[in-house]
Amino acid sequence: MNDSLKVCALEDVPERGARGFEVFWDGRAIPLIVLRENGQIRAYLNSCPHTGVRLEWRADDFFDAEGQHLQCTTHDARFRPEDGHCVAGPCRGQALVAALLEERDGQINLLDPQSLPRSARRR
Ligand code: FES
């Protein structure tokens, strides 16, 4: 059976922005980065491929100064928002783990939480 977990309301994520959320499943916290652009939403596991730490050092502060890429503040890796691919930094060529979402009636849900790796570490 596939599980679905409530993450947030669609309106909680600003257009061309990103926010961090934590959902709980099977006794563990799953940290997510939820992005929204042109009404589309996507999410990644908030876990840098380099060491597994969360990307941000301040709540909901995921983008670089130019607002073009997601940034890991530990060693400055940069990730394309559209696919999570790392384009600069020590994990160049790797990618953030995509999380499957659905939006229904203004609510964003995480689908198949069991498919996400147990790799996220807290700072
Ligand atoms: S921990 Fe993210 S770049 Fe090193």
Side-chain angles (χ1 to χ4, degrees):
M1 185 181 96
N2 291 339
D3 289 310
S4 166
L5 300 172
K6 289 185 177 181
V7 177
C8 63
L10 180 62
E11 65 189 26
D12 291 336
V13 184
E15 176 64 26
R16 289 194 54 78
R19 283 200 55 199
F21 296 95
E22 202 167 59
V23 296
F24 294 88
W25 181 80
D26 195 26
R28 67 175 173 134
I30 302 174
L32 297 171
I33 307 167
V34 180
L35 300 96
R36 182 177 175 188
E37 183 163 10
N38 297 325
Q40 279 201 316
I41 53 165
R42 60 173 49 91
Y44 300 107
L45 188 64
N46 187 356
S47 176
C48 180
H50 185 212
T51 70
V53 298
R54 298 184 186 197
L55 272 62
E56 79 284 21
W57 66 275
R58 225 174 23 190
D60 302 319
D61 191 3
F62 292 105
F63 280 96
D64 60 12
E66 296 76 28
Q68 297 297 308
H69 293 101
L70 300 170
Q71 179 178 19
C72 177
T73 53
T74 299
H75 303 115
D76 211 25
R78 309 291 171 106
F79 304 89
R80 289 192 303 236
E82 61 268 29
D83 60 8
H85 185 81
C86 181
V87 295
C91 46
R92 185 181 184 121
Q94 298 181 59
L96 298 171
V97 174
L100 190 58
L101 296 182
E102 70 168 359
E103 190 256 316
R104 183 181 298 176
D105 299 328
Q107 174 70 43
I108 297 173
N109 300 313
L110 171 68
L111 302 178
D112 294 335
Q114 63 272 20
S115 68
L116 293 171
R118 294 178 172 267
S119 60
R121 288 176 28 204
R122 291 184 183 275
R123 278 188 189 274

PDB file of all heavy atoms in Angstrom, residues 54-69:
ATOM      1  N   ARG A  54      21.455  19.015   5.980  1.00  0.00           N
ATOM      2  CA  ARG A  54      20.439  19.879   5.378  1.00  0.00           C
ATOM      3  C   ARG A  54      21.118  21.074   4.723  1.00  0.00           C
ATOM      4  O   ARG A  54      22.189  21.502   5.156  1.00  0.00           O
ATOM      5  CB  ARG A  54      19.442  20.335   6.437  1.00  0.00           C
ATOM      6  CG  ARG A  54      18.718  19.130   7.012  1.00  0.00           C
ATOM      7  CD  ARG A  54      17.648  19.514   7.993  1.00  0.00           C
ATOM      8  NE  ARG A  54      17.096  18.303   8.597  1.00  0.00           N
ATOM      9  CZ  ARG A  54      15.962  18.251   9.236  1.00  0.00           C
ATOM     10  NH1 ARG A  54      15.242  19.334   9.390  1.00  0.00           N
ATOM     11  NH2 ARG A  54      15.549  17.117   9.742  1.00  0.00           N
ATOM     12  N   LEU A  55      20.478  21.605   3.690  1.00  0.00           N
ATOM     13  CA  LEU A  55      21.135  22.620   2.875  1.00  0.00           C
ATOM     14  C   LEU A  55      21.213  23.985   3.549  1.00  0.00           C
ATOM     15  O   LEU A  55      22.213  24.689   3.413  1.00  0.00           O
ATOM     16  CB  LEU A  55      20.412  22.783   1.530  1.00  0.00           C
ATOM     17  CG  LEU A  55      20.853  21.863   0.396  1.00  0.00           C
ATOM     18  CD1 LEU A  55      20.611  20.408   0.718  1.00  0.00           C
ATOM     19  CD2 LEU A  55      20.173  22.247  -0.896  1.00  0.00           C
ATOM     20  N   GLU A  56      20.165  24.388   4.251  1.00  0.00           N
ATOM     21  CA  GLU A  56      20.068  25.772   4.706  1.00  0.00           C
ATOM     22  C   GLU A  56      20.704  25.962   6.088  1.00  0.00           C
ATOM     23  O   GLU A  56      20.755  25.027   6.884  1.00  0.00           O
ATOM     24  CB  GLU A  56      18.600  26.217   4.742  1.00  0.00           C
ATOM     25  CG  GLU A  56      17.799  25.742   5.947  1.00  0.00           C
ATOM     26  CD  GLU A  56      17.375  24.278   5.894  1.00  0.00           C
ATOM     27  OE1 GLU A  56      17.965  23.473   5.180  1.00  0.00           O
ATOM     28  OE2 GLU A  56      16.431  23.950   6.647  1.00  0.00           O
ATOM     29  N   TRP A  57      21.162  27.161   6.360  1.00  0.00           N
ATOM     30  CA  TRP A  57      21.622  27.488   7.714  1.00  0.00           C
ATOM     31  C   TRP A  57      20.623  28.391   8.405  1.00  0.00           C
ATOM     32  O   TRP A  57      20.672  28.580   9.607  1.00  0.00           O
ATOM     33  CB  TRP A  57      23.017  28.119   7.699  1.00  0.00           C
ATOM     34  CG  TRP A  57      23.090  29.454   7.058  1.00  0.00           C
ATOM     35  CD1 TRP A  57      23.242  29.710   5.727  1.00  0.00           C
ATOM     36  CD2 TRP A  57      23.007  30.734   7.696  1.00  0.00           C
ATOM     37  NE1 TRP A  57      23.253  31.055   5.490  1.00  0.00           N
ATOM     38  CE2 TRP A  57      23.116  31.712   6.684  1.00  0.00           C
ATOM     39  CE3 TRP A  57      22.855  31.147   9.025  1.00  0.00           C
ATOM     40  CZ2 TRP A  57      23.062  33.082   6.961  1.00  0.00           C
ATOM     41  CZ3 TRP A  57      22.812  32.507   9.299  1.00  0.00           C
ATOM     42  CH2 TRP A  57      22.924  33.448   8.273  1.00  0.00           C
ATOM     43  N   ARG A  58      19.688  28.935   7.641  1.00  0.00           N
ATOM     44  CA  ARG A  58      18.601  29.756   8.185  1.00  0.00           C
ATOM     45  C   ARG A  58      17.298  29.221   7.613  1.00  0.00           C
ATOM     46  O   ARG A  58      17.257  28.824   6.445  1.00  0.00           O
ATOM     47  CB  ARG A  58      18.791  31.202   7.708  1.00  0.00           C
ATOM     48  CG  ARG A  58      18.615  32.228   8.761  1.00  0.00           C
ATOM     49  CD  ARG A  58      18.936  33.596   8.308  1.00  0.00           C
ATOM     50  NE  ARG A  58      18.864  33.846   6.871  1.00  0.00           N
ATOM     51  CZ  ARG A  58      19.299  34.937   6.305  1.00  0.00           C
ATOM     52  NH1 ARG A  58      19.851  35.877   7.017  1.00  0.00           N
ATOM     53  NH2 ARG A  58      19.196  35.115   5.005  1.00  0.00           N
ATOM     54  N   ALA A  59      16.249  29.208   8.406  1.00  0.00           N
ATOM     55  CA  ALA A  59      14.988  28.613   7.970  1.00  0.00           C
ATOM     56  C   ALA A  59      14.537  29.160   6.622  1.00  0.00           C
ATOM     57  O   ALA A  59      14.523  30.378   6.405  1.00  0.00           O
ATOM     58  CB  ALA A  59      13.907  28.866   9.020  1.00  0.00           C
ATOM     59  N   ASP A  60      14.199  28.252   5.721  1.00  0.00           N
ATOM     60  CA  ASP A  60      13.613  28.581   4.414  1.00  0.00           C
ATOM     61  C   ASP A  60      14.526  29.395   3.509  1.00  0.00           C
ATOM     62  O   ASP A  60      14.067  29.978   2.529  1.00  0.00           O
ATOM     63  CB  ASP A  60      12.271  29.304   4.584  1.00  0.00           C
ATOM     64  CG  ASP A  60      11.283  28.469   5.371  1.00  0.00           C
ATOM     65  OD1 ASP A  60      11.225  27.253   5.146  1.00  0.00           O
ATOM     66  OD2 ASP A  60      10.574  29.040   6.223  1.00  0.00           O
ATOM     67  N   ASP A  61      15.819  29.426   3.780  1.00  0.00           N
ATOM     68  CA  ASP A  61      16.768  30.186   2.966  1.00  0.00           C
ATOM     69  C   ASP A  61      17.541  29.186   2.097  1.00  0.00           C
ATOM     70  O   ASP A  61      18.624  28.733   2.472  1.00  0.00           O
ATOM     71  CB  ASP A  61      17.714  30.977   3.881  1.00  0.00           C
ATOM     72  CG  ASP A  61      18.528  31.985   3.113  1.00  0.00           C
ATOM     73  OD1 ASP A  61      18.326  32.121   1.886  1.00  0.00           O
ATOM     74  OD2 ASP A  61      19.371  32.641   3.744  1.00  0.00           O
ATOM     75  N   PHE A  62      16.982  28.846   0.942  1.00  0.00           N
ATOM     76  CA  PHE A  62      17.542  27.779   0.104  1.00  0.00           C
ATOM     77  C   PHE A  62      18.239  28.283  -1.148  1.00  0.00           C
ATOM     78  O   PHE A  62      19.007  27.539  -1.747  1.00  0.00           O
ATOM     79  CB  PHE A  62      16.443  26.794  -0.309  1.00  0.00           C
ATOM     80  CG  PHE A  62      15.912  25.994   0.844  1.00  0.00           C
ATOM     81  CD1 PHE A  62      14.673  26.272   1.395  1.00  0.00           C
ATOM     82  CD2 PHE A  62      16.665  24.963   1.389  1.00  0.00           C
ATOM     83  CE1 PHE A  62      14.180  25.534   2.454  1.00  0.00           C
ATOM     84  CE2 PHE A  62      16.189  24.218   2.457  1.00  0.00           C
ATOM     85  CZ  PHE A  62      14.938  24.504   2.989  1.00  0.00           C
ATOM     86  N   PHE A  63      17.948  29.495  -1.584  1.00  0.00           N
ATOM     87  CA  PHE A  63      18.500  29.958  -2.857  1.00  0.00           C
ATOM     88  C   PHE A  63      19.801  30.731  -2.651  1.00  0.00           C
ATOM     89  O   PHE A  63      20.030  31.353  -1.609  1.00  0.00           O
ATOM     90  CB  PHE A  63      17.486  30.845  -3.584  1.00  0.00           C
ATOM     91  CG  PHE A  63      16.429  30.044  -4.307  1.00  0.00           C
ATOM     92  CD1 PHE A  63      15.207  29.800  -3.709  1.00  0.00           C
ATOM     93  CD2 PHE A  63      16.669  29.530  -5.571  1.00  0.00           C
ATOM     94  CE1 PHE A  63      14.233  29.050  -4.364  1.00  0.00           C
ATOM     95  CE2 PHE A  63      15.716  28.781  -6.239  1.00  0.00           C
ATOM     96  CZ  PHE A  63      14.490  28.542  -5.635  1.00  0.00           C
ATOM     97  N   ASP A  64      20.643  30.704  -3.701  1.00  0.00           N
ATOM     98  CA  ASP A  64      21.869  31.496  -3.676  1.00  0.00           C
ATOM     99  C   ASP A  64      21.517  32.982  -3.815  1.00  0.00           C
ATOM    100  O   ASP A  64      20.351  33.343  -4.006  1.00  0.00           O
ATOM    101  CB  ASP A  64      22.851  31.022  -4.752  1.00  0.00           C
ATOM    102  CG  ASP A  64      22.290  31.122  -6.168  1.00  0.00           C
ATOM    103  OD1 ASP A  64      21.246  31.765  -6.369  1.00  0.00           O
ATOM    104  OD2 ASP A  64      22.920  30.544  -7.079  1.00  0.00           O
ATOM    105  N   ALA A  65      22.543  33.827  -3.745  1.00  0.00           N
ATOM    106  CA  ALA A  65      22.314  35.274  -3.753  1.00  0.00           C
ATOM    107  C   ALA A  65      21.650  35.740  -5.045  1.00  0.00           C
ATOM    108  O   ALA A  65      20.907  36.728  -5.051  1.00  0.00           O
ATOM    109  CB  ALA A  65      23.631  36.016  -3.541  1.00  0.00           C
ATOM    110  N   GLU A  66      21.896  35.017  -6.140  1.00  0.00           N
ATOM    111  CA  GLU A  66      21.314  35.389  -7.430  1.00  0.00           C
ATOM    112  C   GLU A  66      19.894  34.863  -7.588  1.00  0.00           C
ATOM    113  O   GLU A  66      19.203  35.202  -8.551  1.00  0.00           O
ATOM    114  CB  GLU A  66      22.179  34.856  -8.582  1.00  0.00           C
ATOM    115  CG  GLU A  66      23.578  35.454  -8.656  1.00  0.00           C
ATOM    116  CD  GLU A  66      24.529  34.875  -7.604  1.00  0.00           C
ATOM    117  OE1 GLU A  66      24.330  33.705  -7.189  1.00  0.00           O
ATOM    118  OE2 GLU A  66      25.443  35.597  -7.176  1.00  0.00           O
ATOM    119  N   GLY A  67      19.467  33.999  -6.693  1.00  0.00           N
ATOM    120  CA  GLY A  67      18.130  33.414  -6.772  1.00  0.00           C
ATOM    121  C   GLY A  67      17.984  32.403  -7.887  1.00  0.00           C
ATOM    122  O   GLY A  67      16.864  32.075  -8.283  1.00  0.00           O
ATOM    123  N   GLN A  68      19.100  31.876  -8.397  1.00  0.00           N
ATOM    124  CA  GLN A  68      19.072  30.957  -9.531  1.00  0.00           C
ATOM    125  C   GLN A  68      19.146  29.493  -9.115  1.00  0.00           C
ATOM    126  O   GLN A  68      18.550  28.641  -9.758  1.00  0.00           O
ATOM    127  CB  GLN A  68      20.251  31.255 -10.471  1.00  0.00           C
ATOM    128  CG  GLN A  68      20.205  32.623 -11.085  1.00  0.00           C
ATOM    129  CD  GLN A  68      18.982  32.797 -11.967  1.00  0.00           C
ATOM    130  OE1 GLN A  68      18.718  31.983 -12.845  1.00  0.00           O
ATOM    131  NE2 GLN A  68      18.215  33.842 -11.707  1.00  0.00           N
ATOM    132  N   HIS A  69      19.923  29.210  -8.100  1.00  0.00           N
ATOM    133  CA  HIS A  69      20.163  27.830  -7.710  1.00  0.00           C
ATOM    134  C   HIS A  69      19.875  27.629  -6.228  1.00  0.00           C
ATOM    135  O   HIS A  69      20.054  28.546  -5.426  1.00  0.00           O
ATOM    136  CB  HIS A  69      21.625  27.434  -7.978  1.00  0.00           C
ATOM    137  CG  HIS A  69      21.975  27.395  -9.424  1.00  0.00           C
ATOM    138  ND1 HIS A  69      22.654  28.421 -10.037  1.00  0.00           N
ATOM    139  CD2 HIS A  69      21.736  26.467 -10.370  1.00  0.00           C
ATOM    140  CE1 HIS A  69      22.807  28.114 -11.321  1.00  0.00           C
ATOM    141  NE2 HIS A  69      22.265  26.944 -11.549  1.00  0.00           N
TER     142      HIS A  69
END
